[in-house]
Amino acid sequence: MCDRLNKKVYAGDRTRDLAVPRSTATPTWLPLRVYRLLSGEVPEDPVVSKKSGLLFEKRLIERHISDYGKCPVTGEPLTADDIIPIQTGKIVKPRPVQAASIPGMLGMFQIEWDGLMLSNFALEQQLHTARQELSHALYQHDAACRVIARLKNERDEARGLLAQAEREIPMAATTAVGTTAVSNGKRAAEDEEMGPDGKKIRPGISQSVIDTLTECNAALSQQRKKRQTNIPATLAPVDAVERYTQLNSYPLHKTNKPGILSLDIHYAKDIIATGGVDSNVVVFDRPSGQIISTLSGHSKRVTSVKFAAEGELVVSGSADKSVRVWRSSENGNYDCRHVLKDHTAEVHAVTVHATNNYFVTASLDSTWCFYDLASGLCHTRVGDASESDGYTSAAFHPDGLILGTGTSGSLVKIWDVKSQANVAKFDGHAGSVTAISFSENGYFLATAAQDGVKLWDLRKLKNFRTFSPYDENTPTQSVEFDHNGSYLALGGSDIRVYQVASVKAEWNPIKTFPDLSGTGKATCLKFGPDASYIAVGSMDRNLRIFGLPGEDQMEG
């Protein structure tokens, strides 16, 4: 009756091959405009007309025949017997009608874009919620860690006070039965010899002490000459210092009274002592990153701290007008051995002599005191009747026979320790002299004040260079030569390192570190052994270590 021919059905831009039965009278290739016949869609149940060979949807053509009795396309009479069902493969529907025009496609794209944006917005909301939950969890964790750290510090303080009280009880009993020893460092009032004017009588610096100082000076002078010709190979080179960056930041002091005012490094043990506004001294082991001991006893801020006797002793000066000497014990803690109260105002500086047998303290009461380290005996208390300004800084010259002091009146004084005579005065600064440092070569003195840093030639007693790194309202808080006299560092609103040169040569800046504390006050700094790192204290409670990245981890 009929054979099958492959007919192409056009629907938009898609084509589909269909097997369509036809009568012998139907042309061989008849384009079937399927999408235009009645429904405009590809038929799901297709039938073909015997008369015209056109393809229709069965349910639609049957309805049309029942209503009109003719072909909807040719208009010829058509009955239900004139349509023949055909079998087709599974048809993939072409794009809808709206995809056949540019406005329709733009509308579809708009719908897709809106859906994508809504999905993206939902994902962003979920991400924001997850971030808030994570932030809250991290905040709770940080708060818990802070509480734990505070409780540990309070526990350590309580243990220290308990141990100190236990020591005081037997010492007090021993003193009561007639011993003349120092009771926990507090010299009994009845043991002090008083003069007719009511002042304490001090023995002065004896000839034996002067001989010890002179011998030390001779030995150090010989060593210095060798060091000047032989720079150690372990000294950090300039290009290494240029690459220094912050390695670690350690929160050592209390949060309620933040601020590190002084620090010192014991090179052999690589331990650091810091004095803080919280009235504590903290001894810290840098390689392990652990606190060795917290020294509590001062009632006001600790303004100066120094190591002595191979790190076995720590000397601290405070705004409470006292000086304390702490000794290391077998359990690793430092116990107070002497409490010295020879000053009548804040103690601003402590400096230890190279013999490790003596130390000097300087105070705002315009005096400096020379002490015996072992006994805590004050040999002499020196003041200048012509000077009313208090001392704000002090340091021993490397040879140990000269002492430099800075005053609140911007004056720098040089003293002969043996005779306690003021042998030189340097003026020119503005504001208090906040820090003072002698170079290891013995020729240079660096002093810091409100107007910056001045370098003095001790041979000609004159200023040969001035650094003014900050504006007039920003004082330079600290200045320090490294132990080999190759680098000079100063601190204020940032930290700057210079290469040491001669009087006439230029002192080139090497590196500037920003003040990462956010306080704008780098109050103290010191070079590590062979300038391998720089320790910096600021007016927050963190000790910061600057050095080469990677070396700190290797050491640990």
Side-chain angles (χ1 to χ4, degrees):
M1 294 178 61
C2 64
D3 57 2
R4 296 179 179 271
L5 292 176
N6 290 328
K7 301 296 183 179
K8 291 188 178 180
V9 180
Y10 292 84
D13 60 349
R14 295 185 182 180
T15 62
R16 190 73 177 179
D17 289 340
L18 300 176
V20 181
R22 65 173 182 83
S23 65
T24 55
T26 304
T28 305
W29 297 105
L30 178 65
L32 302 178
R33 302 178 183 278
V34 177
Y35 65 95
R36 292 182 179 178
L37 298 182
L38 299 181
S39 66
E41 295 182 357
V42 176
E44 296 180 358
D45 190 5
V47 294
V48 68
S49 171
K50 293 180 182 180
K51 295 182 178 181
S52 63
L54 297 175
L55 187 68
F56 300 98
E57 176 67 50
K58 183 178 181 180
R59 59 182 176 82
L60 297 177
I61 193 60
E62 287 179 346
R63 184 184 302 171
H64 188 80
I65 290 173
S66 64
D67 291 341
Y68 303 102
K70 60 181 180 180
C71 177
V73 177
T74 63
E76 297 177 356
L78 189 66
T79 65
D81 295 332
D82 293 330
I83 59 175
I84 301 173
I86 61 175
Q87 300 295 325
T88 63
K90 187 176 181 180
I91 298 173
V92 178
K93 290 185 178 182
R95 292 183 181 179
V97 176
Q98 58 266 31
S101 64
I102 291 177
M105 293 177 68
L106 291 176
M108 292 174 59
F109 293 157
Q110 182 65 49
I111 294 172
E112 290 293 332
W113 177 260
D114 293 342
L116 179 62
M117 289 299 101
L118 288 173
S119 175
N120 188 48
F121 177 72
L123 289 175
E124 287 183 351
Q125 281 188 320
Q126 293 176 1
L127 177 61
H128 180 67
T129 302
R131 281 178 173 174
Q132 285 184 323
E133 293 175 353
L134 177 60
S135 176
H136 182 67
L138 291 175
Y139 176 79
Q140 288 182 324
H141 178 267
D142 183 64
C145 291
R146 289 176 182 273
V147 170
I148 293 172
R150 178 174 57 82
L151 292 176
K152 284 184 176 180
N153 287 337
E154 292 178 355
R155 180 200 64 186
D156 294 341
E157 290 176 9
R159 285 178 176 175
L161 293 174
L162 178 61
Q164 183 175 341
E166 290 175 348
R167 289 193 304 270
E168 287 178 354
I169 293 174
M171 286 184 177
T174 304
T175 304
V177 296
T179 62
T180 59
V182 176
S183 172
N184 193 31
K186 298 180 180 179
R187 293 195 289 270
E190 59 270 17
D191 291 338
E192 298 286 354
E193 296 184 15
M194 309 297 290
D197 55 356
K199 295 182 179 180
K200 297 177 184 178
I201 298 177
R202 297 178 175 85
I205 300 178
S206 64
Q207 186 58 44
S208 62
V209 173
I210 293 176
D211 292 342
T212 301
L213 300 180
T214 304
E215 292 174 3
C216 179
N217 171 47
L220 292 176
S221 297
Q222 292 297 324
Q223 294 178 11
R224 185 179 305 109
K225 292 178 180 178
K226 295 179 181 179
R227 281 199 300 271
Q228 289 175 351
T229 56
N230 298 314
I231 298 176
T234 53
L235 178 66
V238 173
D239 60 341
V241 178
E242 290 176 344
R243 301 196 306 273
Y244 279 7
T245 184
Q246 179 172 308
L247 301 179
N248 288 296
S249 178
Y250 302 101
L252 302 185
H253 291 266
K254 294 180 180 178
T255 56
N256 59 338
K257 292 182 178 180
I260 297 177
L261 301 178
S262 58
L263 66 84
D264 192 28
I265 302 176
H266 188 272
Y267 292 150
K269 297 182 178 181
D270 203 1
I271 56 177
I272 302 174
T274 61
V277 178
D278 61 357
S279 73
N280 290 334
V281 176
V282 175
V283 180
F284 175 76
D285 182 66
R286 189 196 67 84
S288 67
Q290 300 296 319
I291 294 177
I292 298 174
S293 182
T294 299
L295 287 51
S296 300
H298 287 292
S299 60
K300 293 185 179 180
R301 65 184 184 277
V302 177
T303 55
S304 184
V305 61
K306 293 292 180 183
F307 280 110
E310 301 301 323
E312 295 300 315
L313 297 178
V314 174
V315 184
S316 60
S318 170
D320 63 6
K321 308 176 186 178
S322 72
V323 178
R324 288 177 178 253
V325 180
W326 314 79
R327 179 179 291 277
S328 176
S329 59
E330 294 181 357
N331 60 6
N333 292 323
Y334 282 76
D335 303 325
C336 183
R337 305 305 299 167
H338 305 293
V339 180
L340 312 174
K341 297 184 177 181
D342 295 281
H343 289 291
T344 58
E346 294 183 9
V347 178
H348 266 237
V350 172
T351 178
V352 178
H353 191 268
T355 59
N356 273 305
N357 295 329
Y358 311 101
F359 67 93
V360 164
T361 61
S363 168
L364 285 180
D365 63 5
S366 303
T367 65
W368 56 269
C369 293
F370 185 91
Y371 288 96
D372 181 89
L373 189 60
S375 64
L377 173 65
C378 179
H379 287 275
T380 185
R381 183 168 179 256
V382 181
D384 189 346
S386 63
E387 185 61 57
S388 59
D389 296 319
Y391 295 119
T392 52
S393 55
F396 269 114
H397 187 273
D399 68 10
L401 293 182
I402 295 176
L403 176 71
T405 58
T407 71
S408 58
S410 71
L411 196 63
V412 179
K413 295 184 175 182
I414 305 298
W415 303 82
D416 180 2
V417 177
K418 293 188 294 183
S419 63
Q420 300 94 61
N422 180 206
V423 295
K425 292 182 181 180
F426 300 143
D427 56 8
H429 268 303
S432 298
V433 180
T434 53
I436 184 170
S437 177
F438 287 96
S439 173
E440 182 61 24
N441 64 13
Y443 304 144
F444 300 147
L445 169 65
T447 56
Q450 180 78 28
D451 56 348
V453 171
K454 290 185 179 294
L455 297 174
W456 309 87
D457 186 348
L458 297 178
R459 295 164 294 186
K460 297 183 178 181
L461 300 179
K462 68 176 184 178
N463 170 229
F464 68 90
R465 185 164 278 100
T466 299
F467 299 121
S468 300
Y470 314 119
D471 57 54
E472 59 183 6
N473 297 321
T474 305
T476 304
Q477 302 282 349
S478 54
V479 65
E480 186 78 22
F481 283 100
D482 78 296
H483 183 64
N484 295 285
S486 299
Y487 302 109
L488 175 73
L490 58 89
S493 59
D494 56 24
I495 302 97
R496 306 190 182 199
V497 181
Y498 295 83
Q499 184 177 13
V500 173
S502 62
V503 172
K504 295 182 179 180
E506 190 66 26
W507 293 43
N508 296 318
I510 299 174
K511 182 75 172 180
T512 298
F513 303 100
D515 174 38
L516 299 178
S517 70
T519 62
K521 291 184 179 180
T523 54
C524 51
L525 53 83
K526 196 171 182 69
F527 286 94
D530 292 323
S532 57
Y533 64 86
I534 303 174
V536 178
S538 304
M539 283 308 293
D540 63 350
R541 67 193 190 105
N542 292 294
L543 172 68
R544 289 177 169 80
I545 305 297
F546 294 86
L548 278 180
E551 291 193 359
D552 189 63
Q553 290 80 350
M554 289 191 298
E555 291 177 7

